[in-house]
Amino acid sequence: MPYKMCLLLLIFLCLVADVVPATVEWRRAAKFSKGDGHDIHVVAHNHHHRPKFAPGAWKHAHATFYEGGSGTFGGACGYEDVVKEGYGLETTALSEALFNKGQGCGSCYEIKCVDDPKWCKPGQPTLMVTGTNNCPPNWNQASDNGGWCNPPREHFDIAKPAFAKIAEYKAGIVPIMYRRVPCLRKGGIKFTITGNPYFNQVLVWNVGGAGEVTSLQVKGNKNLKWTAMKRLWGQKWETDAKMVGESLTFRVRGSDGRYSTSWHVAPNNWQFGQTFEGKNFK
């Protein structure tokens, strides 16, 4: 193809990339002859750019605290060690209304103690926390007297070390205001592969932006086509599709509708128990 035609086609591809539907992410490659014995390789990428996840409106709720450690504060989400995985101890268990059957895992919140001068820390400091656990309902107690995490209450059971930054322990429970905020993570999204060849599990963690993952797809470089994985629990996903022996690509969808595709992050000789780092939301 003549060189000028090549340039015109490249411009056309760039224009098309701006009108491709939001749910589509694609790559196309073309090979053109420049006419002088040299070939030009053109690769067109389209990544739909939704607006970045932005802080939400402030809401009223209540917060309590619970004891534990770095290895237990991530239980219901599948996180092995919240400190080693980068969340620190600034974590919280979410009531079922916020936990949302595991989707809330990885979401980030800004919290401040309000309307209780006796127990709130002076200056009304704010606390940034990540949802890493579930505060289950207690149907034996009323929602306003012990059953703090009963639906439809939005409640935060904060890790004890973090709770002390906004209120006194003696309070037990304090009124708060909170809002969703973007998650700021170092590095890329992490994928930890466990299980066995017939029951593959993938833990997704260190997710930026909305923090929440609503879907996960995996694709191999040979026989494994795009396959939707199912949420096992928390942020652990599973599939019985054959993944072994293929270079793996993961596509993560956040709760804000944005996608992040990490191409061939796991080589074809990957092993169970390994963690791979992909591309994060910005």
Side-chain angles (χ1 to χ4, degrees):
M1 182 180 293
Y3 181 56
K4 290 183 179 180
M5 289 294 292
C6 167
L7 293 177
L8 289 173
L9 182 55
L10 178 58
I11 294 172
F12 172 74
L13 289 172
C14 292
L15 292 173
V16 170
D18 288 331
V19 296
V20 172
T23 57
V24 176
E25 178 178 16
W26 52 266
R27 304 190 304 172
R28 287 184 181 176
K31 181 178 178 182
F32 306 99
S33 175
K34 193 175 178 181
D36 58 359
H38 295 87
D39 290 330
I40 299 174
H41 295 265
V42 179
V43 180
H45 298 264
N46 177 58
H47 303 281
H48 178 73
H49 294 291
R50 288 175 178 264
K52 292 182 179 180
F53 187 79
W58 286 99
K59 297 181 180 181
H60 287 275
H62 286 81
T64 49
F65 67 86
Y66 75 113
E67 310 225 14
S70 62
T72 59
F73 285 142
C77 289
Y79 304 133
E80 300 292 335
D81 187 311
V82 293
V83 173
K84 291 181 179 179
E85 291 168 343
Y87 300 112
L89 295 178
E90 289 74 29
T91 64
T92 183
L94 304 171
S95 64
E96 190 56 47
L98 296 169
F99 188 70
N100 193 19
K101 300 180 180 178
Q103 181 178 307
C105 292
S107 54
C108 297
Y109 300 88
E110 182 178 9
I111 296 175
K112 55 186 177 181
C113 182
V114 298
D115 303 327
D116 195 338
K118 181 179 180 181
W119 300 119
C120 293
K121 289 293 179 74
Q124 203 175 74
T126 60
L127 173 67
M128 299 292 186
V129 294
T130 302
T132 60
N133 213 344
N134 177 222
C135 179
N138 184 348
W139 301 115
N140 294 321
Q141 294 182 301
S143 296
D144 58 353
N145 187 23
W148 311 121
C149 293
N150 294 351
R153 288 179 66 99
E154 295 184 346
H155 185 86
F156 297 84
D157 199 20
I158 301 173
K160 187 176 180 180
F163 183 88
K165 295 181 179 181
I166 60 170
E168 301 292 340
Y169 290 135
K170 290 183 179 180
I173 181 171
V174 293
I176 63 166
M177 291 193 73
Y178 80 93
R179 64 175 179 170
R180 281 282 301 278
V181 292
C183 297
L184 303 178
R185 304 295 181 212
K186 293 181 179 179
I189 296 175
K190 306 290 181 60
F191 305 92
T192 300
I193 307 174
T194 56
N196 60 62
Y198 308 100
F199 185 65
N200 305 278
Q201 299 178 34
V202 177
L203 173 65
V204 184
W205 52 286
N206 200 53
V207 181
E212 298 178 332
V213 177
T214 58
S215 72
L216 177 67
Q217 294 175 283
V218 62
K219 178 184 181 299
N221 66 322
K222 294 185 292 186
N223 300 317
L224 181 63
K225 308 303 180 184
W226 280 116
T227 300
M229 301 189 72
K230 297 179 181 179
R231 191 189 301 276
L232 184 60
W233 51 280
Q235 283 300 4
K236 280 201 170 185
W237 300 75
E238 60 89 13
T239 181
D240 58 3
K242 187 177 184 299
M243 291 168 48
V244 173
E246 302 216 24
S247 173
L248 302 177
T249 294
F250 293 102
R251 177 170 292 165
V252 174
R253 184 179 190 271
S255 59
D256 59 351
R258 292 196 298 160
Y259 289 85
S260 176
T261 303
S262 299
W263 293 93
H264 308 296
V265 291
N268 56 16
N269 62 344
W270 62 265
Q271 301 293 315
F272 289 103
Q274 290 183 314
T275 295
F276 302 95
E277 182 172 358
K279 186 181 69 172
N280 216 330
F281 295 103
K282 296 181 179 180

